[in-house]
Short mmCIF file of all heavy atoms in Angstrom, two decimals:
data_model
loop_
_atom_site.label_atom_id
_atom_site.label_comp_id
_atom_site.label_asym_id
_atom_site.label_seq_id
_atom_site.Cartn_x
_atom_site.Cartn_y
_atom_site.Cartn_z
N LEU A 286 17.52 -10.69 -11.33
CA LEU A 286 18.53 -10.98 -10.32
C LEU A 286 19.52 -12.03 -10.81
O LEU A 286 20.74 -11.87 -10.67
CB LEU A 286 17.84 -11.47 -9.05
CG LEU A 286 18.66 -11.55 -7.77
CD1 LEU A 286 19.14 -10.17 -7.36
CD2 LEU A 286 17.83 -12.17 -6.66
N LEU A 287 19.01 -13.11 -11.41
CA LEU A 287 19.87 -14.18 -11.91
C LEU A 287 20.70 -13.71 -13.10
O LEU A 287 21.89 -14.02 -13.21
CB LEU A 287 19.04 -15.40 -12.30
CG LEU A 287 18.46 -16.20 -11.13
CD1 LEU A 287 17.53 -17.28 -11.65
CD2 LEU A 287 19.57 -16.81 -10.28
N GLU A 288 20.08 -12.96 -14.00
CA GLU A 288 20.83 -12.47 -15.16
C GLU A 288 21.96 -11.55 -14.72
O GLU A 288 23.06 -11.59 -15.29
CB GLU A 288 19.88 -11.73 -16.11
CG GLU A 288 18.93 -12.67 -16.86
CD GLU A 288 17.94 -11.93 -17.73
OE1 GLU A 288 17.79 -10.71 -17.54
OE2 GLU A 288 17.33 -12.57 -18.60
N ASN A 289 21.71 -10.73 -13.70
CA ASN A 289 22.76 -9.87 -13.18
C ASN A 289 23.89 -10.70 -12.57
O ASN A 289 25.07 -10.39 -12.76
CB ASN A 289 22.18 -8.93 -12.12
CG ASN A 289 23.23 -8.03 -11.51
OD1 ASN A 289 23.84 -7.20 -12.20
ND2 ASN A 289 23.46 -8.18 -10.22
N GLY A 290 23.52 -11.77 -11.86
CA GLY A 290 24.52 -12.65 -11.28
C GLY A 290 25.39 -13.30 -12.33
O GLY A 290 26.62 -13.37 -12.19
N PHE A 291 24.79 -13.76 -13.41
CA PHE A 291 25.56 -14.41 -14.48
C PHE A 291 26.43 -13.39 -15.21
O PHE A 291 27.55 -13.70 -15.61
CB PHE A 291 24.60 -15.10 -15.46
CG PHE A 291 24.21 -16.48 -15.04
CD1 PHE A 291 23.49 -16.70 -13.88
CD2 PHE A 291 24.58 -17.58 -15.80
CE1 PHE A 291 23.13 -17.98 -13.49
CE2 PHE A 291 24.24 -18.87 -15.42
CZ PHE A 291 23.52 -19.07 -14.26
N ALA A 292 25.91 -12.17 -15.37
CA ALA A 292 26.72 -11.13 -16.02
C ALA A 292 27.93 -10.79 -15.16
O ALA A 292 29.05 -10.61 -15.68
CB ALA A 292 25.87 -9.88 -16.25
N ARG A 293 27.75 -10.72 -13.85
CA ARG A 293 28.85 -10.45 -12.95
C ARG A 293 29.86 -11.59 -12.94
O ARG A 293 31.07 -11.38 -12.84
CB ARG A 293 28.33 -10.19 -11.53
CG ARG A 293 27.64 -8.84 -11.39
CD ARG A 293 27.20 -8.59 -9.96
NE ARG A 293 28.34 -8.72 -9.07
CZ ARG A 293 28.34 -9.50 -7.98
NH1 ARG A 293 27.27 -10.22 -7.68
NH2 ARG A 293 29.41 -9.54 -7.21
N ALA A 294 29.33 -12.82 -13.01
CA ALA A 294 30.23 -13.98 -13.06
C ALA A 294 31.13 -13.89 -14.29
O ALA A 294 32.35 -14.11 -14.20
CB ALA A 294 29.42 -15.27 -13.09
N LYS A 295 30.54 -13.55 -15.41
CA LYS A 295 31.33 -13.44 -16.64
C LYS A 295 32.36 -12.32 -16.52
O LYS A 295 33.50 -12.46 -16.96
CB LYS A 295 30.39 -13.17 -17.82
CG LYS A 295 31.06 -13.31 -19.18
CD LYS A 295 30.01 -13.27 -20.30
CE LYS A 295 30.67 -13.48 -21.64
NZ LYS A 295 29.68 -13.49 -22.75
N ALA A 296 31.95 -11.20 -15.89
CA ALA A 296 32.86 -10.07 -15.71
C ALA A 296 34.02 -10.43 -14.79
O ALA A 296 35.12 -9.88 -14.92
CB ALA A 296 32.10 -8.87 -15.14
N GLU A 297 33.79 -11.35 -13.87
CA GLU A 297 34.85 -11.79 -12.95
C GLU A 297 35.72 -12.88 -13.56
O GLU A 297 36.59 -13.44 -12.89
CB GLU A 297 34.23 -12.29 -11.64
CG GLU A 297 33.63 -11.19 -10.78
CD GLU A 297 33.12 -11.70 -9.44
OE1 GLU A 297 33.48 -12.85 -9.05
OE2 GLU A 297 32.36 -10.98 -8.77
N GLY A 298 35.47 -13.20 -14.81
CA GLY A 298 36.28 -14.20 -15.49
C GLY A 298 35.83 -15.63 -15.25
O GLY A 298 36.55 -16.58 -15.57
N ILE A 299 34.63 -15.80 -14.71
CA ILE A 299 34.09 -17.15 -14.48
C ILE A 299 33.37 -17.59 -15.74
O ILE A 299 32.53 -16.87 -16.28
CB ILE A 299 33.11 -17.14 -13.29
CG1 ILE A 299 33.84 -16.70 -12.01
CG2 ILE A 299 32.49 -18.52 -13.09
CD1 ILE A 299 32.92 -16.46 -10.83
N GLU A 300 33.69 -18.75 -16.21
CA GLU A 300 33.09 -19.26 -17.44
C GLU A 300 31.62 -19.60 -17.20
O GLU A 300 31.28 -20.39 -16.32
CB GLU A 300 33.83 -20.49 -17.94
CG GLU A 300 33.31 -20.99 -19.28
CD GLU A 300 34.09 -22.19 -19.80
OE1 GLU A 300 35.09 -22.57 -19.15
OE2 GLU A 300 33.68 -22.74 -20.84
N VAL A 301 30.77 -18.98 -17.99
CA VAL A 301 29.33 -19.24 -17.92
C VAL A 301 28.96 -20.15 -19.08
O VAL A 301 29.26 -19.83 -20.23
CB VAL A 301 28.53 -17.93 -18.01
CG1 VAL A 301 27.04 -18.22 -18.03
CG2 VAL A 301 28.87 -17.02 -16.82
N PRO A 302 28.33 -21.30 -18.81
CA PRO A 302 28.02 -22.23 -19.89
C PRO A 302 26.94 -21.69 -20.82
O PRO A 302 25.87 -21.30 -20.39
CB PRO A 302 27.52 -23.47 -19.13
CG PRO A 302 26.99 -22.94 -17.84
CD PRO A 302 27.88 -21.78 -17.50
N GLY A 303 27.27 -21.66 -22.11
CA GLY A 303 26.28 -21.23 -23.10
C GLY A 303 25.90 -19.77 -22.98
O GLY A 303 26.67 -18.93 -22.50
#
Side-chain angles (χ1 to χ4, degrees):
L286 193 63
L287 287 173
E288 288 177 345
N289 179 63
F291 274 64
R293 287 183 55 232
K295 191 170 183 178
E297 289 185 15
I299 299 171
E300 185 178 356
V301 176

